């Protein structure tokens, strides 16, 4: 290909056939470069998404958690948020996790009457699993039980939120249709997908269920 370029610079005659072959070689080379670039971009995207999954795997989101009783009108401070979370952990008999997690209240929106959710990040995935187990077995001790009012979900990576919402709606519909149905929504870190699992009455294990 370089030979054709040199001949053209020297003013030599180049046949139509040679020109066609030159253009074919040029486009083939560019196509290979473009395909390689596409692969590098896709590999980078996969890695970024994998990092986001790893970043959120130890975190949960708590909704409907009331503000601290001493919070200002503009919202509670970080210390008050931590005290609120510590109270929840104590109610769940998880006092040993109080020093093992970080709590952050999302930014307040003056247009909304309810306080924003709270994000809790545990030191390990096992601690997060321990939290969910304690939540599932918690027995409310009064009608005003705080644990009964809050809603807890996994923190979902941004690129999976659309699929998560679809799976959550399908799970709700399945439970509404049959109250004995149990559902679980999981993140498949390897495939970077959301998966919905169901267990009907009489079944001993969960099975994968389509939601799209």
């Amino acid at each position: 290909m370089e030979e054709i370029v040199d001949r053209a610079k020297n003013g030599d005659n180049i046949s139509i056939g040679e020109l066609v072959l030159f253009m074919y070689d040029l486009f083939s080379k560019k196509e290979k470069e473009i395909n390689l670039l596409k692969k590098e971009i896709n590999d980078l995207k996969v890695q970024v998404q994998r990092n986001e999954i790893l970043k959120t795997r130890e975190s949960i989101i708590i909704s409907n958690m009331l503000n601290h009783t001493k919070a200002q009108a503009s919202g509670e401070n970080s210390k008050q948020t931590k005290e609120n979370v510590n109270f929840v952990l104590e109610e769940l008999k998880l006092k040993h996790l109080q020093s093992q997690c970080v709590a952050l209240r999302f930014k307040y929106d003056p247009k909304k009457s309810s306080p924003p959710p709270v994000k809790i990040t545990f030191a390990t995935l096992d601690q997060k699993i321990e939290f969910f187990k304690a939540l599932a077995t918690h027995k409310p001790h009064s009608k005003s039980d705080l644990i009964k009012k809050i809603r807890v979900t996994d923190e979902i990576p941004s690129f999976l939120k659309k699929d998560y919402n679809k799976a959550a709606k399908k799970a709700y519909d399945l439970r509404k249709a049959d109250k004995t149905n149990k559902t679980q929504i999981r993140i498949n870190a390897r495939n970077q997908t959301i998966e919905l699992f169901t267990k009907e009455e009489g079944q001993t294990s969960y099975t994968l269920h389509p939601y799209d």
Side-chain angles (χ1 to χ4, degrees):
M1 192 161 62
E2 289 78 7
E3 180 185 353
I4 295 292
V5 175
D6 291 338
R7 287 172 56 192
K9 288 180 178 179
N10 294 331
D12 296 343
N13 290 328
I14 300 173
S15 67
I16 296 297
E18 288 177 316
L19 184 59
V20 170
L21 287 174
F22 170 78
M23 296 302 294
Y24 177 79
D25 290 341
L26 180 62
F27 283 124
S28 295
K29 182 180 179 181
K30 291 299 180 184
E31 185 178 16
K32 289 179 181 178
E33 291 176 353
I34 291 173
N35 289 335
L36 179 60
L37 181 60
K38 285 182 178 179
K39 183 180 183 303
E40 290 176 349
I41 292 174
N42 184 68
D43 289 346
L44 179 61
K45 178 183 176 182
V46 170
Q47 186 59 51
V48 169
Q49 292 177 342
R50 182 180 294 115
N51 290 342
E52 189 173 357
I53 290 176
L54 292 175
K55 186 179 178 181
T56 59
R57 69 195 300 255
E58 286 93 15
S59 300
I60 60 173
I61 304 296
I62 299 183
S63 304
N64 302 332
M65 180 183 283
L66 297 177
N67 279 329
H68 194 281
T69 54
K70 296 182 180 180
Q72 300 293 323
S74 58
E76 63 188 21
N77 57 42
S78 57
K79 182 180 178 182
Q80 291 168 340
T81 298
K82 181 62 175 174
E83 288 178 357
N84 260 348
V85 170
N86 285 346
F87 177 77
V88 170
L89 292 173
E90 189 170 349
E91 286 288 289
L92 293 175
K93 297 179 172 58
L94 298 174
K95 197 171 182 179
H96 59 286
L97 295 184
Q98 290 179 344
S99 62
Q100 301 294 311
C101 65
V102 177
L104 175 68
R105 175 81 75 171
F106 288 171
K107 186 177 180 180
Y108 281 80
D109 185 349
K111 296 180 181 179
K112 294 183 178 180
S113 57
S114 58
V118 174
K119 173 181 174 178
I120 301 177
T121 301
F122 295 98
T124 66
L125 181 59
D126 287 341
Q127 291 178 358
K128 175 180 172 179
I129 294 172
E130 185 181 2
F131 177 92
F132 274 113
K133 286 182 178 179
L135 185 67
T137 57
H138 174 73
K139 295 181 180 179
H141 51 71
S142 68
K143 290 184 179 179
S144 60
D145 188 281
L146 174 65
I147 309 302
K148 185 179 179 181
K149 296 179 180 180
I150 63 174
R151 178 173 176 265
V152 185
T153 60
D154 286 303
E155 183 182 16
I156 306 300
S158 57
F159 71 97
L160 289 176
K161 283 185 178 179
K162 184 176 180 181
D163 286 343
Y164 175 83
N165 290 337
K166 289 180 181 179
K169 184 180 184 307
K170 184 66 176 180
Y172 171 79
D173 291 341
L174 291 170
R175 294 193 305 271
K176 186 177 180 181
D178 186 345
K179 293 183 178 180
T180 64
N181 281 338
K182 293 184 178 181
T183 61
Q184 286 185 358
I185 300 176
R186 307 173 190 171
I187 296 176
N188 186 320
R190 180 186 292 271
N191 297 330
Q192 300 186 353
T193 56
I194 292 291
E195 294 179 340
L196 171 63
F197 289 84
T198 61
K199 184 170 72 171
E200 298 178 359
E201 188 175 16
Q203 290 183 324
T204 57
S205 59
Y206 283 85
T207 57
L208 190 63
H209 193 286
Y211 61 83
D212 209 349

